């Protein structure tokens, strides 16, 4: 079995454990006779066995993937909570280490490019290399990418290629539909390997686009390895300050669904073009041009 096959097997097993783990707060009963150890450790607690409003509590727990009202055993987590945390941590680590397979971008109809980082390790160690294209990609972008469009779409692996593989195609397709429906001329999507957010600046300059929208894998939290962010920028220039950009984050099935996020992005871009800029300029200008989503 190769390393890649072993990694896929472990990922599948961990995912099954997370999906099939017991409901929050479920714990096996303590042994009937433990020699008095239970009394020495203190009482064994279960999560609100008789809440005042069970329906409201159930609705609250169902409203978020966060761990709330999980109960405890003495001063410790329940075993089910502890195992779930370990599994989610493993998923986050796998997401950070994930990479986009060769040829995948072409299958989506995206123009494949890459940054100056020569491999995944260098991408992590030297963030600045992920903000500029390598020479070959720069030349290809100038030659093959659409020029002078209203919105140039990019998709980057960022800190979770797994997130892009899972939710990227659906989100990019939704963005194309909603932005076009809002009256924008949208460029052919570009894929950038080993991408940081700032690579949208150089791409915008090279393509002479009026604005750029990059979809990028977020830094994973516990169990959120599939989460994407959308960063928008108006009037691209090299080294454009983040204060001039806006962000829609937590784009995934359990967060901000791709279709809804794309609709919000299109509305945000309408406001951005009307205000002549995004970020601080947009939020500090006429209230009519306030963004629909900033760091959602």
């Amino acid at each position: 079995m190769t390393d890649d096959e072993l990694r896929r097997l472990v990922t599948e097993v961990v995912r099954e454990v997370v999906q099939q783990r017991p409901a929050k707060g479920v714990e096996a009963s303590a042994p009937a006779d433990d020699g008095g150890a239970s009394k020495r450790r203190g009482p064994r607690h279960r999560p609100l066995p008789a809440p005042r409003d069970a329906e409201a509590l159930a609705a609250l727990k169902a409203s978020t993937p966060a761990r709330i009202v999980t109960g405890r055993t003495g001063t410790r987590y329940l075993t089910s909570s502890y195992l779930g945390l370990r599994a989610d941590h493993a998923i986050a680590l796998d997401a950070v280490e994930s990479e986009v397979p060769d040829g995948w971008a072409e299958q989506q109809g995206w123009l494949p490019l890459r940054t100056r980082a020569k491999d995944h390790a260098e991408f992590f160690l030297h963030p600045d290399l992920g903000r500029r294209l390598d020479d070959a990609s720069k030349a290809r972008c100038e030659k093959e990418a659409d020029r002078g469009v209203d919105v140039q779409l990019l998709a980057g692996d960022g800190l979770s290629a797994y997130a892009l593989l899972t939710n990227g195609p659906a989100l990019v397709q939704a963005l194309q539909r909603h932005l076009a429906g809002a009256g924008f001329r949208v460029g052919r999507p570009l894929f950038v390997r080993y991408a940081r957010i700032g690579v949208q600046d150089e791409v915008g300059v090279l393509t002479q686009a009026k604005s750029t929208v990059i979809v990028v894998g977020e830094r994973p939290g516990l169990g959120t390895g599939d989460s994407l962010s959308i960063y928008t920028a108006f009037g691209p220039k090299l080294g454009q300050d983040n204060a001039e950009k806006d962000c829609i984050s937590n784009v995934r099935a359990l967060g901000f669904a791709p279709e809804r996020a794309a609709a919000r992005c299109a509305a945000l871009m309408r406001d951005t073009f009307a205000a002549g800029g995004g970020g601080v300029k947009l939020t500090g200008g006429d209230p009519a041009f306030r963004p629909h989503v900033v760091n959602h």
Side-chain angles (χ1 to χ4, degrees), residues 10-51:
V10 171
T11 300
E12 291 173 3
V13 171
V14 170
R15 187 175 294 116
E16 288 177 4
V17 169
V18 173
Q19 292 173 345
Q20 298 174 8
R21 66 191 177 209
K24 296 174 182 177
V26 174
E27 181 188 20
S29 300
D33 183 6
D34 60 3
S38 294
K39 292 182 180 179
R40 291 193 297 273
R41 289 195 299 264
R44 297 177 68 80
H45 294 268
R46 295 181 185 277
L48 296 179

Side-chain angles (χ1 to χ4, degrees), residues 104-112 176 188-190:
W104 181 81
E106 291 89 334
Q107 293 173 8
Q108 315 307 317
W110 305 346
L111 180 65
Q176 289 177 293
R188 174 191 177 186
L190 313 177

Side-chain angles (χ1 to χ4, degrees), residues 14-294:
V14 170
R15 187 175 294 116
E16 288 177 4
V17 169
V18 173
Q19 292 173 345
Q20 298 174 8
R21 66 191 177 209
K24 296 174 182 177
V26 174
E27 181 188 20
S29 300
D33 183 6
D34 60 3
S38 294
K39 292 182 180 179
R40 291 193 297 273
R41 289 195 299 264
R44 297 177 68 80
H45 294 268
R46 295 181 185 277
L48 296 179
R52 293 182 181 180
D53 191 335
E55 290 185 4
L57 181 62
L60 180 63
K61 293 178 67 174
S63 70
T64 175
R67 289 178 172 83
I68 59 174
V69 198
T70 60
R72 59 188 174 90
T73 299
T75 59
R76 302 187 182 101
Y77 291 121
L78 297 174
T79 300
S80 58
S81 295
Y82 173 74
L83 293 177
L85 287 167
R86 292 295 299 270
D88 283 351
H89 185 235
I91 290 173
L93 290 175
D94 281 349
V96 170
E97 294 294 337
S98 61
E99 294 197 49
V100 173
D102 291 337
W104 181 81
E106 291 89 334
Q107 293 173 8
Q108 315 307 317
W110 305 346
L111 180 65
L113 307 171
R114 63 180 296 153
T115 63
R116 295 179 179 180
K118 68 176 185 294
D119 54 33
H120 213 206
E122 188 171 65
F123 169 65
F124 286 139
L125 291 172
H126 301 282
D128 281 350
L129 296 178
R131 299 185 179 106
R132 300 294 292 270
L133 298 175
D134 67 11
D135 291 340
S137 293
K138 183 177 178 181
R140 187 172 190 184
C141 182
E142 290 180 310
K143 181 180 179 181
E144 300 182 38
D146 294 332
R147 301 182 69 82
V149 298
D150 296 322
V151 182
Q152 177 57 59
L153 274 178
L154 300 87
D157 45 11
L159 294 177
S160 177
Y162 173 72
L164 185 66
L165 293 170
T166 303
N167 295 311
L171 178 56
V172 170
Q173 291 171 15
L175 284 168
Q176 289 177 293
R177 290 196 309 273
H178 285 282
L179 288 167
F184 294 110
R185 189 159 64 95
V186 183
R188 174 191 177 186
L190 313 177
F191 164 68
V192 185
R193 187 182 296 276
Y194 306 140
R196 297 279 178 173
I197 299 161
V199 75
Q200 71 181 145
D201 303 340
E202 183 174 32
V203 168
V205 171
L206 292 173
T207 61
Q208 299 179 0
K210 296 178 183 177
S211 69
T212 58
V213 172
I214 185 169
V215 171
V216 66
E218 291 181 0
R219 179 181 289 105
L222 288 177
T224 61
D226 61 342
S227 186
L228 293 170
S229 286
I230 304 170
Y231 286 86
T232 67
F234 182 84
K237 54 183 177 290
L238 291 179
Q240 189 167 20
D241 196 282
N242 285 340
E244 299 179 35
K245 301 179 181 180
D246 293 295
C247 172
I248 301 172
S249 63
N250 193 33
V251 182
R252 60 188 187 117
L254 290 178
F256 206 22
E259 191 70 29
R260 179 168 166 249
R264 288 292 189 89
C265 182
L268 172 61
M269 293 307 289
R270 282 199 303 266
D271 290 349
T272 298
F273 271 70
V280 173
K281 181 171 184 177
L282 179 57
T283 57
D286 190 317
F289 297 143
R290 305 246 175 195
H292 293 262
V293 180
V294 178

